[in-house]
Amino acid sequence: MAGPDIEALIRQLSKLPGLGPRSARRAVLVLIKKKESLMLPLIQLLQQAADSVKICGTCGNFDSQNPCSLCLDPKRDRSTICVVEDVADLWALERSAAFRGIYHVTGGLLSPLDGVGPDDLNIAELAHRSEAKEVTEIILALSATVDGQSTAHYLAERLDGIDVTISGLAHGVPLGGELDYLDEGTLSAALKARRPV
Amino acid sequence: MAVEWTNLGLVLSVRKHGEHDIILHALTEHHGHHAGLVKGGNSRKHKGLYQPGNRLHMRWRARLPDHLGAFVCEPDRMFAAEALHDRGLLLSLTALCATAETVLPEREVHALAYRQACHLLETIGTDGWGADYVLWEMHLLNELGFGLDLESCASTGESEDLIYVSPKSGRAVSRAAGIPYKKQLLDLPPFLTAEDHGRPTQEDVAAGLELTGYFLERYVFAQHRQTLPDARVRLQTMLAG
């Protein structure tokens, strides 16, 4: 139907999360139709990102500089390190503007079934960073799944003996959540984490 | 004609299949260890449901019995959420799921293993769950044909003062017969013998885990060219203090 170049582009785009062959086809069509205003700037930006984006050697964030701008920011509170699974989680916390400390990205969760062990994650660097004098708290902001919490318990075990407070995120009723619509697991976790009012 | 069944089942593991779907491995009472596709199982809305350890109402449907088939599930009891907050509980839950997934053959009915796993998950976190975990592994060994004989001494036939287990035969050994060979023998915690010794201590549970772990690793996991699951090893290390 379309030429081999277009088909190759569709195949490549359809590998992106959220895009299947149909949506990739639509995206390619728009890119071809808007070559000057969309396709060429996109090519330029992709090339620029491919050349400049690096993984921060300190926290594991993506940035065009190493160490990243968050690690270099003097206004950040260096006494608290927030441990997240992925850069997407770091971005989510940054969007909330609720945390002003520094981050550490593990790059995944422990998962014996998928063959992901402690050596495959950025854990040794976390232990090294936690030993710094100014660090007083490590917040384990990992997902409320069996793998997420297994990793959190493993990290707590691994950091045991270092003079820092280790805390985890609360699990429970989301803002605006109605009890009637919550699943049993969330309700059970919320009841366990109840606090005096 | 399509094949279909419904049963309660424990989630043993999930693996991503494409972007939104998962392959679910479950332990059911009437259909044993069974796998199936779950459409949309990896979505944000449903991810919590398919956590290892959760008990779900499962409906499995396939065009032919040999096909992978697809599950449609609804929650029954979310054991995973109940264990997330505690390291020991989470380790035992993940160890149970990983062990059952590896050692129980697919589509072979093991109703007793299912019922005992449910009993363990229902009592997890209460007093004595560590000993219950050891008993679950003992039952599992039995179910797989590698049951230990802890009724009487392999050497003298005595049924009292049994404190060792022979790593070769899996039979109990009494104190008198075992002392000269105690370095080669495994410790037998009192709560695994017929005699009533009250509530097991943490050391008893650790000794029990070492005992069942030895036989599981040597006779079951070795057949699959695997070692004990990481969670199982960490549970034993934690209880050994």
Side-chain angles (χ1 to χ4, degrees), chain B residues 89 92 119-136 191 198-202 204-205 239:
Chain B
L89 302 186
S92 36
H119 171 74
L120 175 62
L121 291 171
E122 277 159 10
T123 55
I124 215 164
T126 57
D127 270 358
W129 65 265
D132 282 344
Y133 185 87
V134 176
L135 289 171
W136 181 76
F191 75 95
R199 186 181 289 185
T201 62
Q202 191 169 322
D204 290 338
V205 174
L239 289 173

Side-chain angles (χ1 to χ4, degrees), chain A residues 18 113 145-146 153 157 192, chain B residues 13 19 51 84 87 94 101:
Chain A
L113 279 177
T145 59
V146 168
H153 290 305
E157 207 177 306
K192 279 205 173 76
Chain B
S13 73
E19 204 177 327
Q51 291 298 306
L84 283 186
R87 181 160 68 109
T94 42
E101 202 217 345

Side-chain angles (χ1 to χ4, degrees), chain A residues 120-132:
Chain A
D120 302 309
L121 304 180
N122 189 13
I123 291 178
E125 178 62 19
L126 173 65
H128 177 68
R129 289 179 77 193
S130 310
E131 281 167 359

